[in-house]
Amino acid sequence: MAKIGIFVGTVYGNALAVAEEAQQVLEQQGHKAEVFEEATLEQWQEYLQQVVLVVTSTTGQGDLPDNIQPLYAELCDQLGYQPDLRYGLIALGDSSYDTFCGGGHTFDELLQEQGAKRIGEILLIDAIEVVEPEVFAQGWVEEWGTLL
């Protein structure tokens, strides 16, 4: 079973709720999962040979939430190439904006550029259509967990 770091970018708590639900689902599958809401580069580096799940909402004009921006900046400026990292991504957004799920797409683009290997497709959660994102994400997380 996999060791999974769940890294959260949240403004109002929906992404955190999704991350905490994902942790429960993954642990029920026998994985070891830990949620990081104010993550550091050092915590991320513990998972370079493991698996990461990024769960992030989008704020402003397609930006990452304040709590995950420092980690993103450090990954850009200090870490670089991470070819052994396997990851999944859940992006929350509002499709009435042109920058729908922009935060998640931004994080995905960075990890792709750095050589990380995405497992499965990105899960996009639309706030207009989904009232309980943590419930909506369960099926995706269950499937993703079987791919590890």
Side-chain angles (χ1 to χ4, degrees):
M1 293 286 110
K3 179 181 172 188
I4 305 161
I6 304 174
F7 293 84
V8 182
T10 192
V11 178
Y12 299 111
N14 286 336
L16 180 60
V18 171
E20 290 172 343
E21 181 64 30
Q23 179 184 26
Q24 290 181 7
V25 169
L26 293 166
E27 287 178 346
Q28 287 170 358
Q29 291 180 331
H31 300 292
K32 182 174 188 224
E34 187 172 355
V35 174
F36 299 95
E37 190 178 354
E38 298 286 339
T40 64
L41 182 61
E42 292 74 27
Q43 289 167 326
W44 180 276
Q45 288 174 310
E46 291 175 26
Y47 293 89
L48 289 178
Q49 305 289 323
Q50 307 294 332
V51 181
V52 161
L53 177 59
V54 176
V55 182
T56 187
S57 59
T58 300
T59 188
Q61 297 299 310
D63 301 319
L64 289 163
D66 289 345
N67 74 307
I68 202 166
Q69 281 184 359
L71 174 63
Y72 179 85
E74 289 178 320
L75 291 174
C76 287
D77 299 341
Q78 297 178 32
L79 197 53
Y81 196 51
Q82 1 182 11
D84 297 327
L85 179 70
R86 297 181 303 145
Y87 75 98
L89 203 137
I90 299 175
L92 291 82
D94 181 327
S95 63
S96 67
Y97 290 87
D98 291 338
T99 56
F100 176 57
C101 290
H105 288 300
T106 297
F107 221 106
D108 182 58
E109 289 168 12
L110 172 66
L111 295 178
Q112 289 288 304
E113 288 170 9
Q114 293 183 338
K117 296 168 191 72
R118 188 176 67 226
I119 301 167
E121 295 301 314
I122 298 172
L123 175 62
L124 303 176
I125 302 177
D126 187 351
I128 289 179
E129 297 179 6
V130 177
V131 178
E132 294 180 301
E134 66 277 11
V135 174
F136 181 82
Q138 281 179 339
W140 183 93
V141 173
E142 287 171 3
E143 166 128 4
W144 186 76
T146 66
L147 299 174
L148 304 178

